[in-house]
Amino acid sequence: MLTAAMLLAGPAACQTLPEHQATLAPTLTLRGQADPIAYQDGIPVPTFSAQPGPSLDLDGSWRFQAAALDTTLTLRQRSQSLGAIEREAGGRQKVGYQDSSWSTLAVPGSFDGPPGQRGGGGWYRHTFDIPSTWKGDDVTLKFGAASYVADVWVNGVYQGYHEGGQTPFAFDVTKALRVGRTNTIAVRVDSPAWGTRNDIMPWGLADWWDYGGLVGSVWLQAQTPMHLVRDDIVPHLDGADLSVVVDNADRRAQSAQLLLQLLPAAITPEDLLDPDAASLVPTGAAPIVQTTVNLGQLSAGEVTSAGHQFLLRDVDLWAPGQPALYVARAALEEHGQVVDEEYESFGLRRISVDSSFPRLLLNSKPIAFRGVAVHDELSQAGPNGEPVGGPMTTPEEVLAQLRQVQSVHADMVRVDHEPPEAWLPLLADRLGIAVWEEIPLYHNTPQTFGILMNRGLPQQMLTEMDLRDFDDPSVLFHGLANESTGGAVRESVLSQLQQLDHRIDGTRLDGQASYGYDPTDTTSAPLDVVGVTFYWGVFYGGQVSSQLVARELARLHKTYPRKPIMIMEYGVWSDNPSEEAHQEQVFAQTYAGISPSFDDLPGGYVGAAVWWSLNDYWSEQRPGIRLEHFGLFNPDGTERPAGQALSAAYARSAPPAAGSVVQTSGQGESSRPAERQQRVLVSLAYAIALPSAVLILLILCLALGPRLRLRWRHS
């Protein structure tokens, strides 16, 4: 989000900050070309969704001690810094350390909520018992998110680190755990204050609150040594491609097979907040389609990927207002016995750009989104009337926010400038709300783009976000940068990130949110859509009017005549009741200038308009702004006039509300990959043969035409 203070701070934001350059390497890699498997900390990246196997929830009250951490050590390669970090720890990472005098802190949660001091760090410790029934199992320790750099010890044994504030990570802790006994986890979390370094992400000028600490859930997952790692579903309008990663962590070779099933699902009020996808399958429901894949013999330590392409018909497609979901079940069988299983919910949908017109197509139909921006922050009023703040940590909190989105008839949310809390895309799937999620390449310059890309941070965070939300049909768009500078450098970075994104997950469209005051900015050329922040008459362009907005929109369309335009921000603050009338006017005039060009109208080319923002929020923006009053709602929940006007305007095009129960059905066939490939080859041959035949006829006509004309004249 752009403000006048940010515009004025432009040159200062590009200054080189004093620092010791970070050398900490990314922990995630892709192995393989045709069907890459992601690895992190020595293991294939697992699913982070709820699964039916044995697990231990570690959320709750942890011991915490704030500490002045050496960030230079934090961001130095661990081969050079681990010894110094453990000396700095003073035994805090060890099992017998006395932490009884430490305070307690909720996990998930934060140690630096507003309006206190920004940034900082400290140590977390937690003890737990491992049931004796886990003997012989492989155990993975999973973190939903930790901001910003987390180092992890289990029973005094160092497991590894993770950098990046809002994406998940995991460690294989099998060897470090004491089954049937009490165990200790110690986590060092360092959250450098924004604006103090140019080699972290985000690095500086930011207008939301940086919540440091264990901001996501923590849990342990137990599985047999040979187990399922993750299931990824690529949706089509006539089928689904299911890919499963299997890990044989056993010390002996194993023979196994996969049972793959696609099942119907029912979204009911009772199951809405159940994280387990299996809960969505109606009791007694038979699979729509299933198949068995023989894996053969897996050698000790082998990781492999296998899958199947299912053909479906008479299916229900996912769309805003129509949360049609299905469930994929993968069962790993050894000697005819199921040793592991996973369930993932997914939706059948396709988002694309029309090849004939600059408009979005969802499931082959033109669509334009009327959206709002949301923050991963509690917006309800505290004792003094200000937002209580703090990260959202429960499904009930996320659901309340999305119900508020629905109350203003919005069908899309843009999620802050960071990957969302994991519950948001899951609930958006089930409510039928489209999602634009993004990584925090925020207000970057050519210098910081270069530093961060060389470190591999944007690539890792994008991959982690992709993998976590792979099966969420609500996530239609990936944002790759926000309001950044640097023409050629930015375009190159965006192109590289889009190629990576499409390699991992080709079912979403990529864009950025560039400054809308420059309609000649061509850096969105490599991207699928043209995303802009559009503050005409607020931060630039004089007095707000629908004519001004429409004129500048037309100029932008002239630069990108073949791409849909996504208005990723429009709005203005309302710091007190006297400014509410102006906020309402900005909505009315801006929306009036945009709405005739929505691409679900004849000749339209605007794919979305997103109001900034749903609620007020805490800010670390400088100089001196603590709260951003851009919300359609006051912290006490009352709706501002702009909210009422937006709700009335959006209602005119909102999709019909889904019923209290949404149940899917369909039919399918178990088609071998070769058969589907044959269909593609036949279509391709037809596509090549028909133009070739036309071309041959044209050549013959040109060659024989004079002779035919001559013969006709002499006849």
Side-chain angles (χ1 to χ4, degrees), residues 222-234:
Q223 294 172 292
T224 57
M226 185 172 64
H227 57 266
L228 301 171
V229 176
R230 60 181 299 114
D231 307 345
D232 297 318
I233 300 102
V234 175

Side-chain angles (χ1 to χ4, degrees), residues 353 436 478-481 490-499 501-502 508-514 522-531 560 562-564:
V353 174
W436 170 297
H478 283 160
L480 305 180
R490 176 163 42 121
E491 185 171 338
S492 174
V493 168
L494 293 171
S495 179
Q496 293 175 59
L497 292 175
Q498 189 205 38
Q499 291 174 35
D501 194 39
H502 283 200
R508 276 93 187 186
L509 299 182
D510 290 310
Q512 64 169 326
S514 62
T522 60
T523 57
S524 288
L527 305 179
D528 301 311
V529 298
V530 181
Y560 293 100
R562 305 293 298 175
K563 290 181 184 288

Side-chain angles (χ1 to χ4, degrees), residues 173-243:
V173 296
T174 307
K175 294 180 180 179
L177 288 177
R178 301 169 178 175
V179 177
R181 299 166 59 187
T182 299
N183 295 258
T184 302
I185 292 180
V187 186
R188 176 189 187 269
V189 180
D190 191 0
S191 181
W194 293 340
T196 61
R197 307 184 64 94
N198 61 13
D199 55 2
I200 59 176
M201 186 175 168
W203 67 277
L205 195 62
D207 76 326
W208 71 99
W209 195 266
D210 178 22
Y211 290 104
L214 297 180
V215 295
S217 291
V218 185
W219 69 103
L220 290 161
Q221 188 84 43
Q223 294 172 292
T224 57
M226 185 172 64
H227 57 266
L228 301 171
V229 176
R230 60 181 299 114
D231 307 345
D232 297 318
I233 300 102
V234 175
H236 305 283
L237 301 186
D238 64 345
D241 303 341
L242 178 57
S243 176

Side-chain angles (χ1 to χ4, degrees), residues 463-480:
T463 303
E464 290 171 334
M465 183 178 75
D466 282 1
L467 294 175
R468 188 194 71 177
D469 300 336
F470 196 101
D471 298 329
D472 291 300
S474 60
V475 180
L476 299 179
F477 304 96
H478 283 160
L480 305 180

